[in-house]
Amino acid sequence: MDNQSSSKQVKATLACASAPTKEQLASLKEAVLKKYNLTEDELDLRLTEDPSVGGGFILRVGSDEYDWSTKGRERQFRDFVDRVKDNKTAGPDDIISILKGSADEFNLRAKSERVGTVERVGDGIARITGIDYSMYGEVLTFESGVKGMVQDVKEDSIGAILFGRGDEVGEGDRVVRTKKRAGVPVGDEFIGRVINALGEPIDGKGRIREEDYLPIEQPAPGIVDRKSVSEPLETGILAIDSMFPIGRGQRELIIGDRQTGKTSIAMDTIINQKGKNCICIYCAIGQKASSVAHLVQTLTAAGAMEYTIVCCTTAAESAALQYIAPYSATSLAEFFMHKGQDVLIVYDDLSKHAVAYRALSLLLGRSPGREAYPGDVFYLHSRLLERSSRLSDKLGGGSITALPIIETQDGDVSAYIPTNVISITDGQIFLETDLFFAGQRPAINVGLSVSRVGGAAQKKAMKKACGSLRIDLAQYREMAVFTEFSSDLDKATQDQLTNGRVLMELLKQPLGHPLSMADEVITLVVGTNRIMMDVEPAKVKEFQNAMLSSFRSRHPEIVEGIRREGNLTDDMKESILKYGKEFHDQWMAEQSGEEKAAGKAIESAAVQKA
């Protein structure tokens, strides 16, 4: 307890069930004067009779409280039992023996606590008076057991966000400081589980034994502690791995309008990490519970929940829980990163996170700025995403790769929150609504998407195979616009348009079917060398699947060589082109034969009908 000295009168209250004797009161008063270095004139001690106190007394001096009452003993012992249960793993049958063995350790003390009073409460926000020296981000405990976190510190009061139901906190309730920053339990047992923003399991599979307890907000690694991004994190999506590669430790934004496949890209990326020693964390912020349940079901069916943690705060939960969810998920990711492991974390989505923070800030009375967001909303996401990095070998070499998702309105990437996150991240994958409804899925806009890490996060085989893919697609899109109303085209222009259409078809990929790096390399080598020029666009995917199946069954040495070495030698490339051309000729002959047979069948049916 801090000693207080003041020239003003200090008010003190002694609450007890029955009045103390004169000797007891004098002894208590003398102890207070000595503790706070006061004179008798400076202490205003008042007695109040409160039957609810039971035995003992409660002494309040300023914002300090000394609780030596029956009610206080019950509360202290209840907290002690909770700590015993948390620190020791035991089933229901063992709890009695644990309590018997630990009861001797319990030491009841009338220790001082910083105690405040709820002045007003509403909309998940509590305004509290009487607590001095409280720190930003500190956890507070309310009389009902509900926890809160300090989010606003003023001269005469503090504002706290509530982590429980607001109707369990009322005006005049007692509030106690914990002197601890908000944190979340972490451990290996969280893998494969669905938890909420406080780290509590919500999948009905029982309690999770934690190994540590980390603050939800921690400083990002410094420059010296980081290592450059050079190792790829393969998504299994051909368009991304070839043109906008993502490296381990990178932050790549997925941005686009509602219902354009943003979550699908993140989900395919998680599924593609199977067997690649990468732990995945999916953080749902303000999503529908049914959508999260469907995603968990999909990941389970694909075997991806074996290495995935889902941190979920639904749209029905409070803005406070939606606000802390991504920080809690990142602390969980940092636990694995500092153990030397690679982690992929998906924030779905940060637009709803910003909206939740705006709601809290406005309720706390902060001045709104641009688009009604508070002035520190940029810091909200920068301090979150800066924690994603690749650590140096000295610190274990672990990494956190972040895929934040942002929802735009009518494709407006120049809005406040999108531009904020674009400037924080190392690139963005922009999904276009027109492409999506035109059947191009994933609907990636090649012109607006970029990876600022680029080829540094690509295997040599992929770098050589993709060649001029991005330039070819850009030229095709430009040419397609200019020749939309033109009928007389030269041979070179026609070939360019045909090649562009084939490449666009190749980049289409069904949901939940990520490709291996070897499959992507073979597809790119065959596609960029115009071997599929005469394949009908509608049959390009059929040709691709049949060709890859043929390579795996007839030429497994090529597939294995690419996978093992991660490089594409000239001999490998020549072999791929040779076998690709052979397969093309065979496939086209089969297609021609099938067409002739179908034509004869139609003619025969027509003759019979006549």
Side-chain angles (χ1 to χ4, degrees):
M1 182 195 321
D2 299 325
N3 289 341
Q4 298 178 7
S5 179
S6 174
S7 58
K8 297 180 181 178
Q9 204 170 43
V10 175
K11 292 184 178 180
T13 306
L14 181 66
C16 48
S18 57
T21 62
K22 289 183 179 179
E23 291 79 8
Q24 289 174 329
L25 186 60
S27 175
L28 191 63
K29 190 172 182 180
E30 183 182 350
V32 172
L33 294 173
K34 185 177 179 182
K35 182 69 181 177
Y36 290 93
N37 194 22
L38 301 171
T39 64
E40 286 203 30
D41 294 336
E42 292 173 333
L43 178 64
D44 180 13
L45 179 62
R46 298 183 183 183
L47 288 174
T48 58
E49 291 191 15
D50 184 359
S52 67
V53 169
F57 63 87
I58 300 175
L59 173 66
R60 296 185 181 91
V61 183
S63 61
D64 290 339
E65 181 182 87
Y66 300 83
D67 193 342
W68 193 268
S69 64
T70 303
K71 195 161 67 172
R73 294 174 188 178
E74 289 175 0
R75 185 169 57 249
Q76 286 188 42
F77 190 72
R78 190 166 56 245
D79 293 342
F80 171 75
V81 170
D82 289 340
R83 287 197 302 273
V84 168
K85 287 194 295 183
D86 287 342
N87 293 333
K88 299 186 179 180
T89 57
D93 298 335
D94 300 325
I95 192 65
I96 300 299
S97 60
I98 287 176
L99 289 177
K100 284 180 179 178
S102 303
D104 294 337
E105 302 171 16
F106 177 65
N107 183 21
L108 181 67
R109 294 180 299 164
K111 59 182 181 181
S112 70
E113 293 180 315
R114 296 282 184 188
V115 177
T117 306
V118 176
E119 188 179 67
R120 63 178 185 274
V121 62
D123 297 313
I125 300 292
R127 180 61 63 179
I128 301 158
T129 56
I131 294 185
D132 301 326
Y133 314 114
S134 187
M135 59 183 174
Y136 182 86
E138 182 182 359
V139 175
L140 305 175
T141 304
F142 292 82
E143 196 170 338
S144 61
V146 172
K147 295 276 196 299
M149 183 171 75
V150 177
Q151 277 294 110
D152 190 42
V153 181
K154 293 187 176 178
E155 190 175 349
D156 56 347
S157 65
I158 61 172
I161 57 177
L162 304 178
F163 293 152
R165 293 174 53 187
D167 55 5
E168 295 179 0
V169 178
E171 293 181 11
D173 281 4
R174 177 177 178 272
V175 188
V176 180
R177 285 184 64 190
T178 63
K179 300 178 183 176
K180 293 181 180 178
R181 300 287 298 274
V184 64
V186 295
D188 286 331
E189 287 193 10
F190 282 85
I191 298 174
R193 301 296 298 271
V194 183
I195 60 174
N196 63 14
L198 301 175
E200 300 164 343
I202 55 174
D203 53 6
K205 295 182 180 178
R207 181 176 171 269
I208 303 173
R209 185 173 62 244
E210 68 272 13
E211 297 177 27
D212 203 350
Y213 189 84
L214 297 179
I216 61 172
E217 295 208 43
Q218 299 191 81
I223 299 296
V224 177
D225 298 331
R226 298 182 183 227
K227 186 180 179 182
S228 61
V229 176
S230 59
E231 191 177 338
L233 186 136
E234 294 156 2
T235 65
I237 300 170
L238 182 62
I240 296 175
D241 290 341
S242 59
M243 294 182 286
F244 320 108
I246 300 172
R248 300 196 179 212
Q250 188 177 344
R251 301 155 299 176
E252 184 79 1
L253 172 64
I254 302 173
I255 185 169
D257 285 3
R258 185 174 176 273
Q259 296 293 322
T260 51
K262 300 186 296 298
T263 303
S264 299
I265 286 180
M267 191 167 66
D268 276 1
T269 305
I270 291 174
I271 292 172
N272 195 53
Q273 302 314 306
K274 190 171 186 177
K276 296 182 179 177
N277 193 28
C278 181
I279 293 167
C280 301
I281 300 176
Y282 175 81
C283 180
I285 309 164
Q287 303 292 322
K288 290 190 296 184
S290 59
S291 300
V292 179
H294 178 69
L295 182 134
V296 171
Q297 189 177 6
T298 304
L299 293 177
T300 304
M305 281 302 291
E306 297 171 5
Y307 52 87
T308 302
I309 305 166
V310 176
C311 179
C312 172
T313 49
T314 64
E317 294 183 84
S318 67
L321 291 175
Q322 293 182 42
Y323 162 64
I324 70 164
Y327 299 104
S328 299
T330 307
S331 291
L332 197 53
E334 286 174 332
F335 167 75
F336 294 106
M337 178 179 72
H338 289 295
K339 289 173 66 177
Q341 293 180 284
D342 292 315
V343 185
L344 168 68
I345 185 165
V346 177
Y347 304 106
D348 191 7
D349 64 68
L350 292 186
S351 301
K352 293 184 177 67
H353 183 232
V355 169
Y357 183 67
R358 175 173 64 185
L360 292 176
S361 296
L362 294 177
L363 288 167
L364 286 166
R366 293 178 183 162
S367 300
R370 180 176 162 187
E371 297 181 31
Y373 287 100
D376 62 339
V377 75
F378 179 91
Y379 183 54
L380 175 79
H381 290 148
S382 65
R383 73 177 190 264
L384 171 70
L385 293 171
E386 283 295 328
R387 291 162 71 179
S388 298
S389 62
R390 189 179 181 198
L391 294 181
S392 64
D393 293 334
K394 185 179 178 182
L395 295 176
S399 69
I400 297 177
T401 306
L403 294 181
I405 295 175
I406 287 287
E407 183 181 303
T408 55
Q409 303 292 329
D410 198 24
D412 184 12
V413 294
S414 64
Y416 190 26
I417 300 302
T419 51
N420 277 357
V421 184
I422 285 172
S423 65
I424 295 166
T425 51
D426 307 312
Q428 69 274 349
I429 296 166
F430 180 69
L431 303 180
E432 192 175 343
T433 307
D434 292 343
L435 285 174
F436 183 83
F437 289 116
Q440 186 68 34
R441 300 175 186 181
I444 298 174
N445 183 310
V446 178
L448 292 179
S449 301
V450 67
S451 171
R452 297 188 185 97
V453 173
Q458 265 183 323
K459 290 281 179 70
K460 290 180 180 178
M462 183 64 71
K463 201 182 297 187
K464 290 179 180 178
C466 64
S468 60
L469 176 63
R470 191 169 181 180
I471 296 172
D472 290 344
L473 288 173
Q475 289 175 344
Y476 160 71
R477 291 194 57 161
E478 187 179 358
M479 193 72 68
V481 172
F482 281 110
T483 59
E484 190 173 355
F485 303 105
S486 177
S487 57
D488 187 18
L489 300 175
D490 61 274
K491 180 73 166 56
T493 304
Q494 289 178 352
D495 288 347
Q496 196 168 18
L497 290 172
T498 303
N499 183 53
R501 280 192 287 269
V502 169
L503 292 177
M504 291 294 285
E505 288 295 323
L506 271 182
L507 295 180
K508 289 182 181 179
Q509 206 164 326
L511 178 63
H513 291 80
L515 296 172
S516 67
M517 187 192 68
D519 286 350
E520 290 177 337
V521 169
I522 292 169
T523 299
L524 288 169
V525 170
V526 174
T528 54
N529 284 276
R530 302 195 174 192
I531 290 176
M532 292 184 274
M533 283 277 287
D534 53 349
V535 179
E536 293 180 30
K539 293 189 175 182
V540 166
K541 295 307 291 182
E542 182 185 339
F543 176 91
Q544 179 194 7
N545 293 332
M547 180 187 69
L548 293 176
S549 178
S550 173
F551 266 91
R552 284 192 292 267
S553 59
R554 296 182 182 180
H555 311 288
E557 71 283 354
I558 296 177
V559 177
E560 180 60 25
I562 295 171
R563 187 196 66 79
R564 185 180 61 251
E565 297 177 19
N567 198 358
L568 182 67
T569 63
D570 292 339
D571 291 341
M572 280 184 183
K573 187 173 181 180
E574 287 177 11
S575 298
I576 293 171
L577 291 174
K578 176 187 172 184
Y579 295 132
K581 187 71 171 64
E582 288 177 3
F583 177 82
H584 167 267
D585 295 342
Q586 182 185 346
W587 192 83
M588 291 300 291
E590 290 174 358
Q591 292 295 312
S592 178
E594 289 176 5
E595 287 176 6
K596 287 179 181 178
K600 287 180 180 179
I602 293 171
E603 287 178 11
S604 176
V607 169
Q608 288 178 2
K609 188 174 182 181

